[in-house]
Amino acid sequence: MDEPFGALDPVNRALLQELVRNLHRDAGKRRTVIFVTHDIGEAAFLASDILLLGAGPSRLLEHYANPAWRSSEQCADRDSPEFVESVYHIHNVLRQCAAHNAASCEPAGSAT
């Protein structure tokens, strides 16, 4: 899904995020969803694994195993410290990339 909730207001966006979570949970482990978003909170809420991409040319900055994601709920708890840490971590990786100019960003763990 590529930015499926991008044009929605925050209330409807949150409701649809919950719907996706419920559909995924009800399907069990039989389904994989690839979800493209620019919304950091949305990624931290819905994803067990998050691929952080840099631009110019596109490349993988980091494969982030989301510590906030709970397999029993098929989502993260938005009130948990792990969720806040996930949002903070993702934001910092992307901000550092932007600060160093997207063309010169190096993937996580690379020498700069």
Side-chain angles (χ1 to χ4, degrees), residues 8 13 17 23 42 53-54 58 66 82 97 109:
L8 298 175
R13 186 178 193 128
Q17 289 170 353
L23 290 170
E42 186 169 76
L53 302 177
S58 294
N66 185 4
E82 294 87 3
C97 182

Side-chain angles (χ1 to χ4, degrees), residues 66-112:
N66 185 4
W69 197 81
R70 298 178 181 180
S71 60
S72 61
E73 292 296 316
Q74 298 290 307
C75 69
D77 175 0
R78 287 183 172 120
D79 295 325
S80 72
E82 294 87 3
F83 177 81
V84 173
E85 176 57 33
S86 292
V87 169
Y88 179 78
H89 175 83
I90 295 164
H91 178 77
N92 278 337
V93 169
L94 297 175
R95 185 180 56 164
Q96 288 174 9
C97 182
H100 290 98
N101 186 344
S104 65
C105 283
E106 293 294 328
S110 296
T112 54

Side-chain angles (χ1 to χ4, degrees), residues 5 7 10 19 22 25 42 52 61 64 87 91-92 94 106-107 111:
F5 310 142
L19 176 65
N22 292 340
R25 185 184 59 218
E42 186 169 76
L52 302 174
L61 299 175
Y64 183 62
V87 169
H91 178 77
N92 278 337
L94 297 175
E106 293 294 328

Side-chain angles (χ1 to χ4, degrees), residues 27-64:
K29 297 198 180 237
R30 300 178 311 232
R31 302 279 189 259
T32 298
V33 177
I34 297 175
F35 198 97
V36 177
T37 184
H38 288 88
D39 185 311
I40 293 170
E42 186 169 76
F45 178 67
L46 290 173
S48 60
D49 291 86
I50 301 166
L51 301 178
L52 302 174
L53 302 177
S58 294
R59 71 198 156 288
L60 180 65
L61 299 175
E62 182 177 338
H63 174 185
Y64 183 62

